[in-house]
Structures are given as C-alpha cells and as structure tokens.
Amino acid sequence: TGLGAARYVLTGDSPRTAEVAIAVADEWQGQGLGGAMLAQLIRHAREAGVEVLTAMALAENRGSIALLRSQGFALAHRDGATADYRLELR
C-alpha cells in the first residue's frame, strides 16, 4: 500500500512550466510526508530546468493551501471553489 504520490507534468503554457499534484493517504496526513514530497519535487523540477510550478487547490482545503504556502507558492488566481498557486523557480 502506498503512502502518497507526487508528480509534476509539463503544461502547454510553456515548455518550462509544470503543474504539481500531491496525494497523501488519509492516515498519513499532517505528519510531514506531503511537505517532504513537495520539497523533493521542487528540487527535481529545478534541476530539470522547470522555471514555474503551478498547483490547484480547493479554496476550502486549508491543509493543501498551507502545504503549498510552506514551500513558497503564492496565490495566483481564485475562482469560486478553486484557487491557483504559482511558484517561480528562477
């Protein structure tokens, strides 16, 4: 059984922009696993030449938003139930 998953996918917006997604099993949330995975993902993306990371979170998901902000992501746009975050890696 997996504890979590983290990935980034290059988007069509730019060859140097990628969207991140992280999932952590319910019983492992709040124990630092998401932060560790996101930090590793950011390092890997930077080494691969990605310049901008984006992420989408439900506006009510305080845990996801706190995780993104803890790694330097800033709110880029909010539209009703969702919020888009952005991290410049340059």
Side-chain angles (χ1 to χ4, degrees):
T1 302
L3 303 179
R7 60 118 176 118
Y8 70 84
V9 176
L10 297 175
T11 66
D13 297 339
S14 161
R16 299 289 182 210
T17 300
E19 181 178 5
V20 302
I22 294 180
V24 176
D26 289 344
E27 58 273 10
W28 285 88
Q29 291 181 9
Q31 298 184 40
L33 183 59
M37 289 193 305
L38 183 55
Q40 180 73 18
L41 199 66
I42 291 168
R43 280 191 297 277
H44 185 274
R46 188 175 278 128
E47 290 170 4
V50 175
E51 295 176 357
V52 177
L53 289 175
T54 63
M56 188 276 299
L58 291 175
E60 65 188 32
N61 190 334
R62 293 181 184 161
S64 291
I65 292 168
L67 172 62
L68 292 169
R69 288 185 174 165
S70 75
Q71 296 295 323
F73 282 79
L75 180 65
H77 178 73
R78 184 173 176 171
D79 185 18
T82 62
D84 297 316
Y85 288 82
R86 180 179 178 96
L87 176 65
E88 300 279 340
L89 298 179
R90 291 182 253 160

